[in-house]
Amino acid sequence: MKHLLSIADLSTEEITSVLDTAVSMHEVQDRQVKKLPTLRGRTIINFFFEDSTRTRASFEIAGKWMSADTINLTGKGTSVSKGESLRDTAMTIAAMGVDMMIIRHPASGAPAQIADWVDCSIVNAGDGTHEHPSQALLDAYTMRRALGDLEGRHVGIVGDLTHSRVLRSNLLCLRALGARVTLVAPPTLMPSGIAGWAATDGFEVSYDLDEVLPQVDAVMMLRVQQERMSGGYFPTAKEYAVGYGLSARRLALLPEHAVICHPGPMNRGLEISADAADAARSLVLDQVSAGVAVRMSILYHLLAGEGDAQ
């Protein structure tokens, strides 16, 4: 592995390897001294053109815990804000001898384009409405810790599917691991051509959340991305919450063993209620914790290669 641009670029064996390595990386969080020498002397640039808390912080922590020199850049703090092209800025940074750039960008395909321009490793930390591969890997890791092997497990993904890069990466990752996936959303937030996509990739589609919840082993609530909406995707926030929010009433519909996920940030009271977000079966904070471990594993696989991860 040189880049992580899409889950589609990974085989099932590579996905499993990243998740298995993350188990040992997770143990670092319980150490008094959270430091591995694995990436000493390596330089990693976190280059974020969009706001982020979880992804940016966890990649930064992951790099520092593995002894890499980690530098944060934003689009506003670089020459891009002065009119320089993305290509020239990326090539300028790469010319400084960096080993990896972790890119978040509002344009779908931007990290893949940068990978064509530079020689260092590129990690896609979220590009437009395309993909967010590290999020899908940490989601799978979190569910696997709670449920065991995901082969045959049923995962419901609910919410703003049209604008979600998390959806696309999770579909690829969960299906590769043998999970059954059902997408749930109002018709206005279902991606265009969903029927053909479902038939090709082998997942299910429903518009009835109450019908799906009793069948799942895990339910993933996706954020309603109002900043990406220019039209009336639903009449009011209250109507959306009534129809597709994970409310206190809907918690009772879930099987006893079923778990709740949300990639964050959460709109409490819209796609998820406080009762659901703070429930004992909620894995929201487990996902955050897993994010550091999985991203440490990603850095290891891309920059350290074969060798001792400890």
Side-chain angles (χ1 to χ4, degrees):
M1 292 171 59
K2 180 176 181 180
H3 306 300
L4 179 59
L5 303 174
S6 166
I7 291 293
D9 297 334
L10 304 179
S11 66
T12 300
E13 291 72 24
E14 287 173 320
I15 292 172
T16 302
S17 180
V18 170
L19 301 184
D20 288 344
T21 303
V23 174
S24 60
M25 296 299 184
H26 213 152
E27 296 172 359
V28 175
Q29 296 185 34
D30 296 324
R31 297 182 184 180
Q32 186 173 3
V33 178
K34 299 176 176 64
K35 206 76 166 178
L36 301 176
T38 315
L39 298 183
R40 184 180 294 142
R42 299 284 197 165
T43 302
I44 299 172
I45 304 291
N46 289 324
F47 201 177
F48 278 53
F49 291 83
E50 288 185 320
D51 295 337
S52 170
T53 300
R54 293 158 184 78
T55 304
R56 177 172 165 175
S58 62
F59 265 121
E60 182 178 4
I61 292 170
K64 289 182 174 179
W65 282 2
M66 298 184 78
S67 301
D69 296 312
T70 305
I71 300 167
N72 291 324
L73 296 176
T74 65
K76 294 178 183 177
T78 66
S79 296
V80 172
S81 64
K82 299 178 180 180
E84 185 174 67
S85 70
L86 178 63
R87 180 178 184 275
D88 286 336
T89 297
M91 292 181 69
T92 296
I93 294 170
M96 296 178 187
V98 305
D99 298 289
M100 173 182 285
M101 281 191 272
I102 298 167
I103 308 290
R104 170 167 285 195
H105 199 281
S108 298
Q113 181 63 77
I114 292 172
D116 287 339
W117 293 330
V118 302
D119 292 329
C120 65
S121 292
I122 301 296
V123 174
N124 178 4
D127 59 333
T129 58
H130 176 228
E131 274 208 53
H132 195 347
S134 65
Q135 181 68 47
L137 290 167
L138 75 87
D139 290 339
Y141 175 85
T142 306
M143 285 185 272
R144 198 167 74 152
R145 287 190 84 196
L147 300 170
D149 189 353
L150 296 183
E151 179 75 37
R153 292 291 193 175
H154 188 186
V155 180
I157 303 179
V158 185
D160 183 0
L161 308 181
T162 292
H163 303 101
S164 179
R165 53 194 170 207
V166 172
L167 162 67
R168 288 155 178 80
S169 291
N170 263 288
L171 263 177
L172 292 168
C173 188
L174 291 170
R175 293 294 295 133
L177 294 172
R180 171 189 171 195
V181 181
T182 299
L183 306 188
V184 186
T188 52
L189 290 175
M190 277 288 184
S192 177
I194 191 67
W197 184 14
T200 301
D201 287 7
F203 59 87
E204 301 164 41
V205 174
S206 175
Y207 300 97
D208 189 339
L209 181 56
D210 291 346
E211 180 182 56
V212 171
L213 288 178
Q215 308 171 29
V216 300
D217 299 295
V219 58
M220 181 178 297
M221 307 305 298
L222 299 181
R223 181 173 69 89
V224 176
Q225 300 185 41
Q226 299 181 68
E227 74 277 9
R228 296 185 190 273
M229 296 181 181
S230 57
Y233 286 85
F234 47 87
T236 65
K238 181 177 181 180
E239 180 168 318
Y240 181 87
V242 169
Y244 292 93
L246 189 58
S247 61
R249 176 186 69 81
R250 287 195 168 107
L251 282 177
L253 298 178
L254 288 168
E256 278 189 24
H257 70 279
V259 296
I260 299 165
C261 297
H262 193 304
M266 295 184 290
N267 293 314
R268 287 180 181 245
L270 187 54
E271 73 268 0
I272 190 168
S273 67
D275 300 271
D278 300 329
R281 64 174 72 194
S282 171
L283 300 181
V284 173
L285 292 181
D286 297 80
Q287 289 171 269
V288 177
S289 175
V292 178
V294 170
R295 286 166 177 138
M296 288 175 72
S297 178
I298 290 168
L299 299 185
Y300 168 72
H301 280 273
L302 293 181
L303 293 181
E306 296 300 323
D308 184 8
Q310 303 301 315

